[in-house]
Amino acid sequence: MHFLRKNRFNLLLTVLVLVTSAFISPRDVTTIYLIGDSTMADYSTYEGEDYLNKRYPLMGWGQVFQELFDPASISSLKHLIQTDSVLVDDRARGGRSTRTFFEEGRWSAVYRDLRPGDLVLMQFGHNDAAKDKTERYVATEGYKEYIRLFVTQTREKGAIPIVLTPVNRNYPWKDGKLGNVHGEYHTAAVDVAKELDAFLIDLTQRSMDAFTEKGQDYVSVHYFMNFEPGVYPNYPEGSKDNTHFLPEGAKAVAQLVLEGMQELN
């Protein structure tokens, strides 16, 4: 009799656990998807060991974004994140515009994986504006349409879209102040975010202000891929690149994005 009572109790307990679990989300991690271009990309994930052998010290800011999410920073993002853990899933790739990111199926892969409460940070514009590279060029009206699509479909999955204007390049400088190189693409991203009432981080302006504060001489050699021959084995002839980041620059931009997220209302 005792054995039967014990079995009934265990069966009842099992049923209770199953019923309860049906009403409790197993979700305990918020995934932050990054979609964009080379300035955002994580070269170590899609190039693997070849990254150290071929591309280092080149870094996108998404490559160091995960390390910023300690308990204190996650706590400061409770208006966006409802979990205690964050996983950054960087899907950005070099040379991609809004159109090519979509056409290659990269967006559909993100869309399939999205869950309610996830975040999608989208930063395009560098390659969309490349008129001399027709394989990636997108006029501003097309650029806006693709951002609208990314925002709308993110919301369809119960996730949160955040539009980022493109991080500024290391030019043009005038009288010690960095100017806006992205022009109408910066404006287009701002306009779509306002139109759709989506969160916006004006990374163009934030990076212009931060780089100006540091000064042209500093950011040119500490933030961007500018160095003499022989400094890095992967670049025996040196580098003169005012678009892509060294590790210090990538970390500085990642911090700007985190601060932008913290300030979203």
Side-chain angles (χ1 to χ4, degrees), residues 24-258:
I24 298 177
S25 171
R27 178 180 182 80
D28 57 4
V29 176
T30 296
T31 301
I32 300 178
Y33 291 93
L34 305 182
I35 63 171
D37 54 43
S38 58
T39 61
M40 184 194 236
D42 182 348
Y43 295 91
S44 67
T45 59
Y46 69 87
E47 295 189 346
E49 293 180 0
D50 284 344
Y51 166 67
L52 291 177
N53 297 329
K54 294 181 179 180
R55 305 299 289 275
Y56 183 85
L58 173 66
M59 280 190 183
W61 64 259
Q63 194 161 332
V64 293
F65 202 42
Q66 179 72 66
E67 63 193 53
L68 298 182
F69 290 94
D70 57 21
S73 63
I74 295 174
S75 179
S76 72
L77 294 169
K78 288 302 182 185
H79 55 297
L80 295 173
I81 297 170
Q82 305 301 313
T83 61
D84 294 326
S85 298
V86 163
L87 174 66
V88 174
D89 189 338
D90 191 345
R91 305 288 183 94
R93 289 295 182 271
R96 271 59 179 191
S97 62
T98 51
R99 175 176 58 80
T100 58
F101 195 89
F102 177 81
E103 289 178 344
E104 292 174 1
R106 297 182 184 279
W107 170 247
S108 64
V110 173
Y111 181 78
R112 285 195 301 269
D113 292 341
L114 276 176
R115 297 186 299 169
D118 286 340
L119 276 62
V120 178
L121 275 61
M122 54 196 77
Q123 182 220 267
F124 293 93
H126 283 82
N127 297 301
D128 298 75
K131 287 186 177 181
D132 59 331
K133 297 180 179 178
T134 57
E135 74 278 5
R136 62 181 70 170
Y137 172 69
V138 184
T140 51
E141 284 307 310
Y143 173 74
K144 291 167 76 171
E145 282 299 318
Y146 281 109
I147 296 177
R148 289 186 185 103
L149 182 147
F150 298 149
V151 168
T152 302
Q153 292 196 342
T154 296
R155 286 172 166 168
E156 286 176 3
K157 298 297 286 286
I160 301 170
I162 302 178
V163 178
L164 277 63
T165 58
V167 62
N168 216 65
R169 303 179 195 266
N170 189 33
Y171 59 84
W173 287 89
K174 184 177 181 181
D175 299 327
K177 186 175 182 180
L178 182 60
N180 185 344
V181 74
H182 292 295
E184 59 186 4
Y185 288 86
H186 166 257
T187 303
V190 173
D191 288 347
V192 172
K194 289 181 178 178
E195 171 194 328
L196 300 180
D197 196 23
F199 285 128
L200 172 74
I201 296 175
D202 191 346
L203 188 56
T204 305
Q205 189 64 55
R206 285 178 177 271
S207 56
M208 286 164 52
D209 292 343
F211 297 167
T212 296
E213 183 177 351
K214 279 289 185 180
Q216 182 178 3
D217 291 342
Y218 187 90
V219 300
S220 294
V221 297
H222 292 279
Y223 282 11
F224 289 89
M225 290 277 290
N226 292 304
F227 43 81
E228 297 299 318
V231 176
Y232 293 101
N234 292 333
Y235 301 85
E237 298 181 0
S239 175
K240 296 186 182 300
D241 181 347
N242 286 297
T243 296
H244 300 98
F245 301 114
L246 292 165
E248 185 178 346
K251 291 175 183 178
V253 175
Q255 183 64 40
L256 293 177
V257 175
L258 177 63

